[in-house]
Amino acid sequence: MNIRKLIFLAVAALTLSPFITAPLALLLGLVLAQTMEHPYPQSSQKATHLLLKISVIGLGFGMNIYSAITAGKEGLLFTLASILIVLATGYFVGRKLKIDFKTTSLISAGTAICGGSAIAALSPVMKANQQQISVALGTVFILNSAALFLFPAVGHWLNLSQNQFGLWCAISIHDTSSVVGAASKYGEQALHVATTVKLSRALWIIPVSFGATYLFKTNKTKVQAPYFIALFVLAVLANTYFPFLTGYSHYLVSLAKSGLSLTLFLIGSGLSFKTLKGVGSKPLVLGTTLWALISVFSLYAIMVVL
């Protein structure tokens, strides 16, 4: 085993420590990405998707179904409005910037719904090529990384409540990993609200995928549903209705948070300068415009309504 692999594995193991927060784990990954070549690029991508799903399911053991339903209802209108606004704005801004329609659609859906998961689900439906997928993923991952550091700072600056901040994270941050990472830094209630609303938002992958099937005339392509959300709901139900789990839920949630930190480290380790350069300026302008729009719009609405 060479020195690169040893360093990578050692830092990855370090992120499992309870002393390493989600933003710090991401930062460690970003530092490694700029200082050495990734020793496990393919394995890291596969592990990221699996770890995120397992971690989200684990967080369900720290939640109550009644508070989850309340949070989901509260975020429904905000979610629907934000998705429609982002998809419509993305179409017009993409045309103005002369970005190809598939790349525009992937970036818009990634911003509107749930980042990399939406891009992964929609790309086979619209038959996007590898370049289009890479540009879209690179764009949302760059902005995700920024959000993980910026959102808690803005939340404290504006003195947002736990409920307000959790809802804002769920609507405005792309990927579930960064949503949970930012919310967990803010507080437990913010984490519960953010996770619940974000996962209900992720379910919009299904109708949007069917719409893309019609739009891109690919009716033979199978739509990928986010089945792990059902397991998250089962975990929440189990924690609510099976009292004997209460003594173990703390450990399961702690393991889930450690898994999330490792997930963010793996995401950061894949964002090298080469990756950033490959995104290009126009897609980044599109992604940043949409992200800024939904962040400001949702923050204003949440502060007025809640």
Side-chain angles (χ1 to χ4, degrees):
M1 184 177 290
N2 61 38
I3 188 66
R4 282 191 298 113
K5 292 181 179 180
L6 283 172
I7 293 173
F8 184 88
L9 293 174
V11 179
L14 180 64
T15 63
L16 295 173
S17 163
F19 304 106
I20 302 296
T21 63
L24 181 55
L26 177 65
L27 183 60
L28 289 171
L30 289 169
V31 170
L32 280 192
Q34 316 317 318
T35 54
M36 70 180 202
E37 185 180 348
H38 201 306
Y40 304 104
Q42 300 301 323
S43 300
S44 181
Q45 289 181 11
K46 293 178 181 178
T48 298
H49 294 301
L50 180 60
L51 269 172
L52 175 59
K53 293 173 183 177
I54 293 173
S55 299
V56 168
I57 293 167
L59 290 173
F61 287 102
M63 300 184 188
N64 180 283
I65 188 62
Y66 301 108
S67 58
I69 290 172
T70 301
K73 286 181 179 179
E74 208 167 55
L76 181 61
L77 183 60
F78 288 107
T79 297
L80 181 58
S82 66
I83 289 172
L84 293 175
I85 289 170
V86 170
L87 291 178
T89 305
Y91 172 74
F92 290 108
V93 175
R95 284 191 65 181
K96 188 71 175 177
L97 293 172
K98 297 181 179 179
I99 302 171
D100 73 89
F101 186 45
K102 288 184 180 181
T103 300
T104 295
S105 300
L106 289 175
I107 293 173
S108 300
T111 305
I113 306 173
C114 56
S117 299
I119 293 168
L122 285 171
S123 53
V125 172
M126 62 177 63
K127 298 194 180 301
N129 61 41
Q130 191 57 48
Q131 175 65 17
Q132 292 164 332
I133 296 169
S134 296
V135 166
L137 285 172
T139 300
V140 300
F141 283 156
I142 291 167
L143 298 176
N144 267 328
S145 301
L148 193 56
F149 296 101
L150 288 175
F151 270 57
V154 173
H156 287 299
W157 178 53
L158 295 175
N159 198 30
L160 297 180
S161 69
Q162 292 283 315
N163 195 46
Q164 287 175 321
F165 185 79
L167 189 54
W168 185 41
C169 282
I171 292 170
S172 303
I173 302 179
H174 311 72
D175 269 339
T176 304
S177 55
S178 292
V179 170
V180 176
S184 64
K185 188 178 180 184
Y186 206 78
E188 284 299 316
Q189 180 60 25
L191 174 62
H192 292 181
V193 171
T195 305
T196 304
V197 176
K198 182 62 181 177
L199 293 184
S200 65
R201 181 181 169 194
L203 290 172
W204 284 89
I205 289 176
I206 299 170
V208 170
S209 294
F210 280 118
T213 297
Y214 173 79
L215 186 62
F216 291 92
K217 309 297 182 184
T218 57
N219 57 328
K220 292 183 180 179
T221 305
K222 184 179 179 182
V223 174
Q224 300 177 15
Y227 296 110
F228 77 98
I229 295 176
L231 295 177
F232 166 80
V233 174
L234 287 176
V236 176
L237 288 169
N239 188 61
T240 304
Y241 294 113
F242 295 101
F244 69 88
L245 286 174
T246 306
Y248 303 97
S249 60
H250 172 73
Y251 300 105
L252 292 171
V253 172
S254 295
L255 286 172
K257 289 181 178 179
S258 294
L260 176 68
S261 292
L262 179 56
T263 300
L264 288 165
F265 165 74
L266 294 175
I267 290 172
S269 67
L271 285 176
S272 65
F273 283 126
K274 183 179 179 181
T275 303
L276 304 183
K277 188 177 179 181
V279 170
S281 59
K282 288 185 178 180
L284 195 55
V285 169
L286 171 62
T288 303
T289 300
L290 295 178
W291 182 50
L293 171 70
I294 197 57
S295 296
V296 173
F297 167 78
S298 61
L299 178 59
Y300 175 77
I302 288 167
M303 291 182 72
V304 169
V305 175
L306 300 183

